[in-house]
Amino acid sequence: MPLIQSTYMGPPAYLFNGHLETIIPSLFRNVMDVNYSREKIHTTDGDFLNLDWSKVGSDRLLLISHGLEGDSQRHYVRGMVKLFNSQGIDALVWNNRTCGGEINLKPILYHHGASYDLEDVVNHVLKTQQYREIYLSGISMGGAQTLKYLGEKGADLPAEITKAAVYSTPCNLPSSAATLKYRSNRFYKNRFLGKLKKKMAAKALQYPELIDLELLNTVEDFDTFDTFFTAKLHGFKDAADFYQAVSADRWMPHISIPTLIINATNDPLLGPACYPIDLAERKSEITLEMPKRGGHTGFIKYGEEFTWAEKRVLDFLVNS
């Protein structure tokens, strides 16, 4: 059943639209009693990544990729870690470059298509650990990175990786990026852009010859930021070229393992092309679930510690 009816019945009554379902958990949800052990690894290009482990002595591992301007401390990550640990499964969160508390060495930061860093993490785990089974999960941008990695590897995916599940994922980056132009999404645009501009200013201290601080201070939209900074630093022509080039749906037809995609239809940050209905209908490996409610990384259930999405991911990866 590649296209399924969702079991999510909706949030508490006070979260009466997709924006509240998105913003309230982001600002106020707090998942306690998650403790990490940090490991720093070297990347293929001579940079580093910070990995945060939460081990319970399992031969199974959940590897989590976080969202835009997130890290291992975000509520949706800690919730997943705590839930899987409670089921006797180790968890590993990798922090994208410049995320997790440190500015990286190379000029580049990170982006939705940075599956090369996820691949470095996977390869490190395979070389240094002895896991019988590895599950991949990603939230928002991390979901896109996960889907792109799975499609790039295709049938050559390491045998230890058996299933994947992502949610609130911009499967089509141009469609998702367009939502940040909506007047109703100004809050998200300003929040993300403000954080990214601060990181780019810090990066300018490392590479003043590459980054125009005067221009950076005038940036007010993502098209400008991604054209003159993201695209320039990562080797793309402009924002449109960058969005199209790294969009996960270019690789998703080649995914070779059971993969769940959960995208709420009221997600304010997902455009129409982020719901790969046609692909799910013809590709048995992809299961698409589209709850009517949930917002972006929301899916709160009244009186429960874990969200519906976190429990749904666990059920798909472990119990199905």
Side-chain angles (χ1 to χ4, degrees):
M1 297 175 64
L3 188 64
I4 65 174
Q5 185 73 29
S6 180
T7 60
Y8 183 49
M9 302 306 293
Y14 64 87
L15 301 179
F16 51 82
N17 64 36
H19 294 294
L20 290 176
E21 291 174 69
T22 301
I23 295 169
I24 296 301
S26 178
L27 294 179
F28 299 109
R29 185 185 179 212
N30 188 19
V31 180
M32 305 296 291
D33 301 320
V34 174
N35 299 303
Y36 292 120
S37 174
R38 175 155 290 191
E39 178 185 15
K40 181 176 289 187
I41 67 170
H42 298 291
T43 61
T44 302
D45 66 348
D47 210 330
F48 69 87
L49 294 171
N50 283 319
L51 313 186
D52 287 328
W53 291 88
S54 183
K55 293 185 176 183
V56 292
S58 178
D59 62 356
R60 294 177 294 170
L61 175 70
L62 176 70
L63 201 169
I64 305 171
S65 302
H66 64 76
L68 183 69
E69 277 307 282
D71 56 29
S72 62
Q73 297 298 336
R74 293 296 291 144
H75 70 92
Y76 54 77
V77 173
R78 291 171 64 90
M80 196 87 79
V81 169
K82 186 173 183 178
L83 178 60
F84 274 74
N85 280 174
S86 74
Q87 300 301 306
I89 299 169
D90 287 356
L92 168 62
V93 189
W94 70 282
N95 296 278
N96 276 264
R97 302 187 194 207
T98 74
C99 300
E102 283 190 88
I103 297 295
N104 288 74
L105 305 176
K106 295 290 184 177
I108 62 174
L109 278 75
Y110 68 91
H111 57 71
H112 286 68
S115 53
Y116 44 81
D117 280 343
L118 175 55
E119 182 170 14
D120 276 349
V121 174
V122 169
N123 290 341
H124 172 76
V125 170
L126 293 175
K127 289 177 182 177
T128 62
Q129 308 292 322
Q130 296 294 323
Y131 286 108
R132 170 177 59 86
E133 196 168 11
I134 299 173
Y135 313 119
L136 299 188
S137 184
I139 302 94
S140 192
M141 177 194 74
Q145 293 171 331
T146 300
L147 294 175
K148 183 171 178 282
Y149 168 76
L150 293 172
E152 287 171 332
K153 303 304 289 185
D156 295 325
L157 189 72
E160 292 86 350
I161 300 175
T162 58
K163 291 181 182 178
V166 304
Y167 69 91
S168 299
T169 294
C171 299
N172 180 276
L173 187 53
S175 183
S176 178
T179 68
L180 291 172
K181 299 177 183 179
Y182 301 162
R183 187 180 184 87
S184 59
N185 283 350
R186 184 180 297 176
F187 171 83
Y188 313 113
K189 182 202 74 172
N190 290 341
R191 191 178 188 198
F192 288 139
L193 195 57
K195 290 182 177 181
L196 286 167
K197 287 174 67 175
K198 287 181 180 178
K199 285 188 176 177
M200 193 61 70
K203 188 61 67 175
L205 298 177
Q206 295 174 305
Y207 297 94
E209 73 281 5
L210 294 180
I211 297 168
D212 184 340
L213 276 176
E214 277 192 32
L215 176 60
L216 180 65
N217 290 332
T218 68
V219 169
E220 295 183 353
D221 62 82
F222 266 96
D223 275 353
T224 304
F225 180 85
D226 284 333
T227 290
F228 291 102
F229 298 97
T230 308
K232 177 182 176 182
L233 291 179
H234 293 90
F236 300 100
K237 178 182 176 183
D238 53 24
D241 178 49
F242 160 60
Y243 299 150
Q244 185 62 40
V246 307
S247 187
D249 55 1
R250 295 184 58 191
W251 289 272
M252 286 165 52
H254 306 295
I255 290 175
S256 63
I257 61 171
T259 299
L260 172 67
I261 301 171
I262 301 170
N263 281 346
T265 58
N266 74 335
D267 190 322
L269 297 177
L270 299 184
C274 292
Y275 302 87
I277 295 172
D278 291 344
L279 180 62
E281 287 178 335
R282 68 176 187 268
K283 187 169 179 61
S284 61
E285 291 85 357
I286 292 179
T287 297
L288 176 62
E289 188 164 349
M290 300 185 297
K292 293 181 180 179
R293 304 293 300 275
H296 191 77
T297 71
F299 303 103
I300 293 295
K301 295 182 71 175
Y302 182 76
E304 296 194 17
E305 179 177 19
F306 302 111
T307 70
W308 171 85
E310 289 158 2
K311 291 184 175 181
R312 180 71 181 94
V313 167
L314 175 69
D315 183 62
F316 181 85
L317 294 179
V318 178
N319 300 323
S320 64

